[in-house]
């Protein structure tokens, strides 16, 4: 009996260039946005996504045919793609928008990603992306993409095991109150949670190699997608300031402060 | 005389009137063992602030839905409770739950808003449904205001780990406005004996051959108050050395205060505590009456999850720890001396 053709995995990892997580952001005086003249990096959850794709290849070897990374962003976003390529992705797609373009919305991003997936000649079997971007903290893109494609979805993944032959994946998710395990058919959208893995630092040789990896440049028009935001950004403001109170010298003083505020032990 | 009832048909189509009808929110009520989740009760409060009708939606396995509906009917502010039972709804898998929601919200629906808690379950479902209806969604809102004249809804929500507050407006052209609610920003709606909302069953929309199967759920069992809704929280950080020390040090204090236990990301990553206890930008956001941070340095991402607590107490060996910038009461001390002493003296 002839063995059936092994389906090779084509993995797509959408990534976002965001303000670096360690930057102390400042709201602009015009209250329309934050000061973006600061260090930017790959969204930490997307780093985890890239890492997971690379680890899948390390585990499944030739069964992973391609790892493509895609980003929607200004010209500088190409640097973020290069970082992903240095981590081990094969090629990149840069959907370029202008520096002054309004902030992206999850629905627009999902539509662009759907268009990217639909034009991939070899198809896409697995999309791995961060559960949320640390700038807008929206956490919707993965679910929206899965919905548009009518694919299976597994959000907040803390463990991912893929069986390309059986075309299924087992995903453990972090949920309120604990963990949940799902069995999902491919094609599948997975969004990453913190504990899925610890991303590698790209080595210098890999950074050099990455310079030669191809990046395809596209515009939203090429994908027939309109990224104009639907929601209107009215303002961006500082949160109410929390000022630290004083320090106490010892536990007795601490207890006194607690009592002042009405906190005592419960009757056991 | 004809009794005029709100039409509880599958898509909730109501008679069209010449003047713009007020909003009609559909609130996703999550439940366990007949009890409506606290986060959903906060979502209900937010939905009421839109100023119009509010219909609750209860989905689940047949054996669970009945008791949840009985509880839901008594919730103050609910106009009606829609419910649908199916074995497929037992675990609220987005792929199997979405078709019913899409049907309820299709063109011509009377619902203007879809509301839920920002829970791991609901935030996995709502955006999927919204996208399939070609609609945007707003996540984790902290306030909501609806303007009938323009049919626009304005929200505030935290961005950049809560270091900025964004005000966004969903214009009238957005046919149905989806949003998830930050529970700490809205007081949970209460039951009211005088209330008896009308309940109506809706046929499930079953999915032939769903692509996703639920295998298992492992919830951390605890007799403690639930972290997400507790009035008092005792939280531990990396300084707690290991899982045994974490428990041994914090549990007596949490017991004495009747508190839930939380953890910093560092503590969870190091294996001292379960991931469900993580407080922070990407963990749980809490705003209890009392938050006691033990051996937690106070990284931006952790502060994002607790800085709205009413009273913040911090115990840390390092006087420069960032946590002291938000703590109302700070004690620079070795936690292994201070916490046992605190427990002992609290009990006196």
């Amino acid at each position: 009996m002839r063995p059936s053709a092994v389906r090779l995995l084509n993995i797509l990892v959408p990534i976002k260039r965001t303000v670096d997580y360690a930057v102390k952001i400042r709201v602009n005086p015009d209250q329309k946005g934050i000061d973006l003249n600061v260090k930017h990096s790959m969204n930490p959850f997307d780093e985890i996504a890239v890492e997971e794709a690379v680890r899948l290849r390390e585990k499944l070897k030739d069964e992973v045919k391609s790892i493509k990374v895609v980003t929607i962003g200004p010209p500088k976003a190409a640097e973020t793609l290069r970082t992903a390529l240095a981590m081990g992705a094969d090629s990149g797609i840069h959907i370029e928008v202008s520096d002054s373009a309004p902030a992206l919305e999850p629905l627009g991003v999902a539509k662009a990603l759907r268009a990217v997936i639909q034009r991939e000649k070899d198809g896409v079997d697995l999309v791995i992306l961060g559960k949320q971007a640390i700038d807008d903290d929206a956490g919707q893109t993965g679910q929206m993409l899965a919905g548009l494609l009518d694919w299976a979805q597994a959000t907040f993944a803390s463990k991912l095991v893929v069986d390309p032959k059986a075309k299924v994946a087992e995903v453990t998710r972090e949920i309120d109150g604990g963990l949940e395990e799902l069995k999902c058919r491919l094609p599948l959208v997975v969004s990453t949670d913190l504990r899925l893995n610890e991303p590698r630092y790209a080595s210098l040789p890999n950074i050099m190699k990455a310079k030669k990896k191809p990046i395809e440049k596209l515009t939203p028009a090429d994908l027939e997608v309109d990224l104009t935001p639907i929601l209107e950004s009215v303002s961006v403001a500082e949160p109410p300031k929390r000022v630290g109170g004083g320090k106490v010298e010892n536990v007795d003083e601490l207890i006194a402060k607690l009592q002042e505020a009405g906190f005592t032990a419960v009757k056991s | 005389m004809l009794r005029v009832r709100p039409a509880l048909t599958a898509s909730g189509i109501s008679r069209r009137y010449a003047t713009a009808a007020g909003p009609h929110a559909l609130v996703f009520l999550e439940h366990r063992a007949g009890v409506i989740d606290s986060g959903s009760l906060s979502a209900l409060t937010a939905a009421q602030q839109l100023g119009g009708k509010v219909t609750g939606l209860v989905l689940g396995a047949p054996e669970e839905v009945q008791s949840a509906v009985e509880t839901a009917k008594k919730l103050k502010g609910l106009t009606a409770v829609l419910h649908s039972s199916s074995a497929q709804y037992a675990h609220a898998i987005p792929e199997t739950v979405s078709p019913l929601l899409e049907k309820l919200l299709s063109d011509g629906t009377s619902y203007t808003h879809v509301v839920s808690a920002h829970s791991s379950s609901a935030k996995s479902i709502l955006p999927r449904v919204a996208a399939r209806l070609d609609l945007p969604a707003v996540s984790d809102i902290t306030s909501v205001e609806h303007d009938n004249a323009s049919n626009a809804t304005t929200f505030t929500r935290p961005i950049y780990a809560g270091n900025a507050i964004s005000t966004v407006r969903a214009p009238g052209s957005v046919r149905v406005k989806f949003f998830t609610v930050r529970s700490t920003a809205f007081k949970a709606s209460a039951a009211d004996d005088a209330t008896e909302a009308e309940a109506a069953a809706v046929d499930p929309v079953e999915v032939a051959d769903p692509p996703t199967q639920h295998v298992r759920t492992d919830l951390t069992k605890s007799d403690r108050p639930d972290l997400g809704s507790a009035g008092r929280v005792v939280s531990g950080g990396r300084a707690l050395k290991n899982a045994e020390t974490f428990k041994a040090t914090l549990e007596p204090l949490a017991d004495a205060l009747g508190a839930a236990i939380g953890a910093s990301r560092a503590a969870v990553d190091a294996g001292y505590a379960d991931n469900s206890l993580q407080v922070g930008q990407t963990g749980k956001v809490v705003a209890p009456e009392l938050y006691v941070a033990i051996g937690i340095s106070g990284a931006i991402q952790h502060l994002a999850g607790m800085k709205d607590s009413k009273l913040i107490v911090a115990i840390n060996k390092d006087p420069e720890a960032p946590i002291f910038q938000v703590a109302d009461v700070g004690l620079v001390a070795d936690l292994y001396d201070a916490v046992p002493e605190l427990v002992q003296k609290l009990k006196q």
Side-chain angles (χ1 to χ4, degrees):
Chain A
M1 191 166 83
R2 216 185 326 148
S4 54
V6 172
R7 170 69 181 197
L8 301 175
L9 272 190
N10 288 301
I11 306 177
L12 182 71
V13 183
I15 62 177
K16 187 178 188 183
R17 176 178 178 266
T18 61
V19 171
D20 185 83
Y21 80 95
V23 165
K24 200 166 153 79
I25 59 124
R26 264 198 318 258
V27 176
N28 287 334
D30 66 2
Q31 303 238 311
K32 288 287 177 195
I34 66 142
D35 179 13
L36 292 171
N37 227 341
V38 293
K39 180 178 180 204
H40 281 61
S41 310
M42 193 186 312
N43 179 39
F45 292 101
D46 299 337
E47 272 186 336
I48 292 174
V50 175
E51 175 66 26
E52 194 63 17
V54 176
R55 286 192 191 193
L56 274 173
R57 172 176 272 157
E58 285 168 353
K59 182 149 192 254
L60 299 171
K61 305 203 193 325
D62 287 340
E63 286 185 285
V64 172
K65 182 167 181 214
S66 72
I67 301 174
K68 287 198 188 177
V69 281
V70 55
T71 198
I72 307 174
K76 281 214 185 108
E79 290 165 21
T80 316
L81 283 174
R82 289 284 168 210
T83 305
L85 294 172
M87 285 172 70
D90 303 321
S91 63
I93 300 171
H94 184 181
I95 303 167
E96 204 172 297
V97 295
S98 89
D99 270 310
S100 55
L104 300 165
E105 285 182 345
L107 183 59
V109 172
K111 288 179 174 175
L113 293 175
R114 173 180 56 175
V116 165
I117 289 168
Q118 286 170 344
R119 74 197 277 282
E120 278 296 305
K121 283 185 217 72
D122 288 341
V124 172
D125 306 289
L126 181 61
V127 175
I128 313 177
L129 79 177
K131 72 170 181 177
Q132 73 195 67
I134 59 165
D135 47 18
D136 61 26
D137 284 326
Q140 303 169 8
T141 305
Q143 300 86 301
M144 288 192 158
L145 177 60
L148 290 176
L149 293 166
D150 202 12
W151 285 11
Q153 66 177 66
T155 50
F156 326 133
S158 60
K159 188 171 170 198
L160 174 64
V161 178
V162 183
D163 182 346
K165 291 187 193 70
K167 297 215 262 185
V168 287
E170 277 162 18
V171 191
T172 304
R173 308 170 57 220
E174 296 201 4
I175 60 169
D176 300 333
L179 296 173
E180 181 184 76
E181 212 181 292
L182 299 176
K183 193 161 172 174
C184 305
R185 273 209 305 269
L186 304 185
L188 168 66
V189 176
V190 173
S191 79
T192 67
D193 213 317
L194 276 181
R195 277 163 283 277
L196 181 58
N197 62 50
E198 220 177 286
R200 68 196 60 198
Y201 290 105
S203 67
L204 194 49
N206 282 335
I207 294 173
M208 297 312 293
K209 260 192 260 175
K211 295 191 184 191
K212 297 206 186 81
K213 293 183 180 177
I215 292 182
E216 185 187 0
K217 278 214 187 314
L218 294 172
T219 64
D222 291 331
L223 298 170
E224 292 177 42
V225 169
D226 180 8
L227 294 177
T228 313
I230 297 168
L231 303 172
E232 297 157 12
S233 178
V234 176
S235 66
V236 174
E238 275 182 18
K241 257 197 196 356
R242 181 130 202 168
V243 181
K247 294 203 175 81
V248 293
E249 294 295 304
N250 51 48
V251 171
D252 292 314
E253 285 185 27
L254 172 55
I255 291 190
K257 290 274 181 192
L258 282 174
Q259 276 173 353
E260 243 172 66
F263 295 105
T264 51
V266 298
K267 295 277 174 273
S268 46
Chain B
M1 184 171 100
L2 274 176
R3 190 167 144 244
V4 177
R5 307 155 43 114
L8 288 171
T9 55
S11 63
I13 295 174
S14 61
R15 295 194 199 91
R16 303 258 177 207
Y17 297 94
T19 53
H24 186 174
L26 184 65
V27 182
F28 188 54
L29 297 175
E30 299 175 77
H31 55 95
R32 193 182 308 276
V35 178
I36 306 292
D37 283 2
S38 171
S40 298
L41 298 177
S42 293
L44 175 53
T45 304
Q48 284 158 12
Q49 289 181 13
L50 292 166
K53 298 211 295 261
V54 183
T55 296
L57 177 64
V58 175
L59 302 179
E63 56 274 17
E64 289 167 356
V65 169
Q66 198 47 48
S67 48
V69 170
E70 287 311 305
T71 315
K73 279 157 74 171
K74 296 233 148 276
L75 288 172
K76 194 165 178 188
L78 261 190
T79 328
V81 180
L82 229 52
H83 57 97
S84 190
S85 310
S86 164
Q88 286 198 342
Y89 296 163
H91 300 285
I93 306 277
E95 296 92 311
T96 49
V97 161
S98 188
L100 172 62
L101 283 162
E102 293 167 53
K103 185 173 175 196
L104 290 172
L105 301 162
S106 56
D107 277 336
T109 183
S110 74
Y111 299 114
T112 56
H113 295 77
V114 179
V115 192
S116 76
H118 194 61
S119 65
S120 54
S121 182
K123 68 192 185 192
S124 297
I125 296 170
L126 258 66
R128 184 187 179 101
V129 178
R132 287 184 63 74
L133 297 170
D134 197 19
L135 293 164
V138 186
S139 303
D140 204 17
I141 66 138
T142 45
S143 81
V144 59
E145 208 178 294
H146 182 73
D147 174 46
N148 261 335
S150 60
N151 196 27
T153 310
T154 303
F155 308 90
T156 57
R157 57 179 302 272
I159 56 173
Y160 291 96
N163 286 295
I165 307 292
S166 166
T167 302
V168 296
R169 185 174 176 271
S173 54
V174 176
R175 180 173 76 82
V176 179
K177 300 172 179 68
F178 285 70
F179 61 99
T180 62
V181 168
R182 177 168 280 205
S183 321
T184 53
F186 296 87
K187 193 163 169 207
S189 285
D192 173 27
D193 271 325
T195 301
E196 180 86 18
E198 210 180 310
V202 175
D203 288 334
V205 179
E206 298 200 335
V207 176
D209 195 23
T212 296
Q213 301 292 336
H214 174 264
V215 175
R216 59 188 294 174
T217 299
D218 285 318
L219 297 178
T220 22
K221 302 222 182 325
S222 178
D223 293 325
R224 257 166 232 299
D226 168 58
L227 176 59
S229 51
R232 301 174 181 194
V233 175
V234 169
S235 207
R238 182 72 155 287
L240 273 302
K241 290 193 194 142
N242 53 49
E244 295 72 42
T245 311
F246 187 94
K247 281 180 81 159
T249 313
L250 298 184
E251 281 185 355
L253 181 57
D255 287 340
L257 290 169
I261 289 187
S264 71
R265 176 192 166 175
V268 174
D269 281 354
Y272 305 169
D274 189 75
N275 65 281
S276 59
L277 301 187
Q278 181 177 325
V279 172
Q281 175 188 16
T282 61
K284 287 203 171 53
V285 173
V286 301
E289 299 294 310
L290 173 66
Y291 188 90
V292 185
I294 309 282
I296 292 178
S297 64
I300 299 173
Q301 293 78 13
H302 184 79
L303 298 185
M306 44 65 77
K307 67 189 169 108
D308 290 333
S309 307
K310 306 290 177 309
L311 186 77
I312 298 174
V313 172
I315 301 179
N316 196 299
K317 223 167 40 176
D318 175 13
E320 303 299 315
I323 191 84
F324 289 124
Q325 284 162 34
V326 299
D328 301 294
V329 184
L331 175 60
V332 180
D334 185 329
L335 69 98
Y336 296 106
D337 296 326
V339 175
E341 188 187 340
L342 180 58
V343 173
Q344 186 224 346
K345 288 183 174 170
L346 272 173
K347 290 203 213 161
Q348 278 167 1

